[in-house]
Amino acid sequence: MNTFPIERFEIVAKEKGHSEEYIRACVEYAQNLIKKDYPVLFTLEHLAIAMGIKSDFLRWLIGDLKTQDIISKPVFELKQKRYKLFSIKKRRGGKREIMAPDKDLKYIQKWIMFNILDKYPLKDSCKGFRQKISIKDNALVHEGACKILKVDLLKFYDTITEERVYGVFKNMGYQGNLAVSLSKLCTYKHSPEYWNSFEPTEKEILSRYIKEMPAILPQGCPSSPMLANIIASKMDFRFEELAKKMNFSYSRYADDLTFSIKDNGTLPSVSFITKIIIDEGFYINYKKVKYMLKGQKQYVTGLTVTNGVHTSKKYRKRIARHIHFCRKFGVDTHLNKIRKDFLGYTTLNFHDWLYGHICFIHSIDKEYSEKLLKDFNKINWFI
């Protein structure tokens, strides 16, 4: 609950000699934020107090202060690099660059996420990165469909610029300068090498971004998924309204859009979907447009939806096979045989990896996971 003391604010403001017009404007500003359950914040200094950190540190992070201006102050332990960059393999090939913020910036972004972003009312069709909503909830929307259309957005986070993030905080009701500061705390500029690593088709479609190289949402920041959801919410609304008219189902999990119909209804054309996506400032990845008919394998966010929602048989068998070989040959022997795919794994790492997959299967296929867990508990781990 928002507990900003408006009456106390008015008393103090009058004691300090502020005009009635100024006080009234401040109260209206505060009431607008309170109505939406957002924290009342007037300035960057006010934000710093709410976070429990020094305002100069925030100013340094957003570029208002240079390192030499504050490096002599003992309260700061400044790092030249605010993000650690590394790549992870994508499931379907290629790499995804992750920008992990250092612990101080991570705390700031988490504060923004918990206190501001998580209070934004998202659309029901938005299923990704939300509390108590999982990939199973996303798949259930399309269970038993006779036709499914899957569409991916191209470089989703890379098209969400600092300017667009500024628009989020401004539309929430925060005054301009503070909205600028909040947007800078949640975005960062990639290197020219990153933009130049795009494929030729991506470079052609995203030529404006490659030319300008704006600050964008970094993948790896706690605030990024929620900001992406908020910015995509108007697109979600448009597809939800279209779904009511054409009798199809729609859901979005991050950059993964799924449309489906059962016996009745009509799917919108890819060209019409593309028009809405472009209208909302995103782009379609034509390589990943896919239709799946009844009788074919139908997957939504990695789960099968043909006869109920399940993990795939191939995936379950892979985990069962690991458990079988660990029991038959011993963990160390099995781990040595698969070392190519598990470089750097210790017995303890592998134990956690395997148990994590069993827990995931349990969240989707409880009955099947019980047998896996029973066999898993028979493995001699020597931990």
Side-chain angles (χ1 to χ4, degrees):
M1 182 179 289
N2 206 318
T3 57
F4 182 76
I6 286 183
E7 291 182 4
R8 177 62 182 161
F9 171 84
E10 290 178 305
I11 292 170
V12 173
K14 286 177 183 177
E15 289 174 352
K16 289 183 177 292
H18 289 294
S19 68
E20 290 292 332
E21 184 181 4
Y22 171 83
I23 295 172
R24 184 169 60 253
C26 289
V27 168
E28 287 176 359
Y29 171 83
Q31 286 175 333
N32 180 49
L33 292 169
I34 291 169
K35 183 172 64 177
K36 299 173 185 177
D37 199 30
Y38 297 136
V40 177
L41 303 166
F42 291 97
T43 63
L44 188 68
E45 285 71 20
H46 193 181
L47 175 65
I49 292 169
M51 289 180 171
I53 60 177
K54 297 289 184 179
S55 59
D56 275 359
F57 183 57
L58 286 186
R59 291 198 177 282
W60 176 74
L61 284 173
I62 66 176
D64 282 0
L65 282 178
K66 294 183 179 178
T67 303
Q68 57 264 33
D69 295 332
I70 55 175
I71 194 67
S72 59
K73 298 185 180 181
V75 71
F76 294 110
E77 294 180 3
L78 298 177
K79 299 176 182 177
Q80 289 301 317
K81 288 193 174 182
R82 302 163 205 174
Y83 292 89
K84 180 182 178 183
L85 275 65
F86 59 93
S87 298
I88 59 173
K89 289 182 180 180
K90 292 183 180 179
R91 188 178 58 178
R92 298 173 185 171
K95 292 183 178 179
R96 175 176 285 111
E97 184 169 286
I98 301 298
M99 299 179 73
D102 68 27
K103 62 181 180 64
D104 297 321
L105 183 54
K106 188 175 183 179
Y107 164 79
I108 289 166
Q109 292 170 344
K110 278 190 172 183
W111 191 97
I112 293 170
M113 179 182 71
F114 289 131
N115 292 280
I116 301 176
L117 302 177
D118 279 354
K119 296 179 180 181
Y120 187 92
L122 296 170
K123 302 303 174 187
D124 290 340
S125 58
C126 173
K127 305 297 184 183
F129 307 107
R130 301 181 66 180
Q131 290 184 4
K132 298 181 181 179
I133 297 178
S134 67
I135 60 171
K136 183 175 183 179
D137 297 298
N138 186 51
L140 282 168
V141 175
H142 310 284
E143 180 185 2
C146 64
K147 192 174 186 180
I148 295 174
L149 170 60
K150 290 175 62 65
V151 174
D152 275 20
L153 300 179
L154 181 67
K155 299 291 185 181
F156 185 36
Y157 280 19
D158 297 337
T159 58
I160 299 177
T161 62
E162 180 186 310
E163 183 180 4
R164 298 181 76 178
V165 175
Y166 160 80
V168 169
F169 292 112
K170 191 74 171 66
N171 290 333
M172 284 177 168
Y174 290 106
Q175 61 91 5
N177 288 342
L178 183 57
V180 168
S181 298
L182 286 164
S183 66
K184 287 183 180 295
L185 291 169
C186 296
T187 57
Y188 197 67
K189 283 197 172 189
H190 271 290
S191 66
E193 290 77 18
Y194 173 76
W195 296 102
N196 291 328
S197 70
F198 287 9
E199 295 176 5
T201 305
E202 295 170 343
K203 286 182 177 179
E204 184 180 347
I205 295 172
L206 302 174
S207 58
R208 176 172 70 87
Y209 298 90
I210 293 169
K211 182 180 178 181
E212 297 174 1
M213 298 185 188
I216 57 172
L217 281 189
Q219 292 201 50
C221 294
S223 52
S224 291
M226 203 46 197
L227 278 166
N229 278 341
I230 292 170
I231 288 171
S233 60
K234 186 182 173 186
M235 179 181 69
D236 292 335
F237 171 76
R238 291 180 68 176
F239 282 131
E240 283 184 9
E241 292 303 300
L242 186 64
K244 293 174 187 175
K245 294 177 182 177
M246 297 180 67
N247 193 25
F248 65 84
S249 298
Y250 163 75
S251 69
R252 180 180 61 81
Y253 195 98
D255 58 355
D256 187 350
L257 282 59
T258 308
F259 306 80
S260 69
I261 53 172
K262 290 190 167 61
D263 296 330
N264 302 327
T266 307
L267 285 178
S269 66
V270 173
S271 60
F272 191 64
I273 289 171
T274 303
K275 182 181 183 304
I276 292 176
I277 288 172
I278 291 174
D279 280 350
E280 296 307 322
F282 300 108
Y283 301 87
I284 192 169
N285 187 346
Y286 289 101
K287 290 182 180 179
K288 294 187 177 180
V289 173
K290 186 176 182 180
Y291 284 97
M292 294 176 288
L293 304 177
K294 197 167 189 176
Q296 299 175 324
K297 288 184 178 179
Q298 294 179 323
Y299 291 92
V300 175
T301 41
L303 303 177
T304 63
V305 295
T306 308
N307 297 303
V309 174
H310 302 284
T311 51
S312 72
K313 285 184 180 179
K314 183 179 178 181
Y315 168 63
R316 295 196 303 266
K317 283 182 179 179
R318 182 164 67 95
I319 301 304
R321 194 161 52 247
H322 281 303
I323 294 172
H324 170 74
F325 288 135
C326 282
R327 289 182 62 195
K328 185 174 181 179
F329 302 112
V331 178
D332 289 341
T333 302
H334 177 59
L335 196 52
N336 284 330
K337 285 185 178 181
I338 59 172
R339 184 66 66 185
K340 182 181 177 182
D341 297 322
F342 290 86
L343 287 174
Y345 271 67
T346 64
T347 301
L348 180 60
N349 294 147
F350 188 65
H351 171 281
D352 294 345
W353 179 87
L354 201 52
Y355 183 69
H357 282 279
I358 294 171
C359 290
F360 171 70
I361 292 170
H362 179 80
S363 70
I364 311 296
D365 293 290
K366 185 176 180 181
E367 186 176 339
Y368 188 86
S369 72
E370 288 174 352
K371 182 182 184 307
L372 289 178
L373 186 59
K374 185 178 179 181
D375 290 340
F376 175 83
N377 287 331
K378 293 178 182 176
I379 296 172
N380 188 354
W381 290 98
F382 290 107
I383 296 176

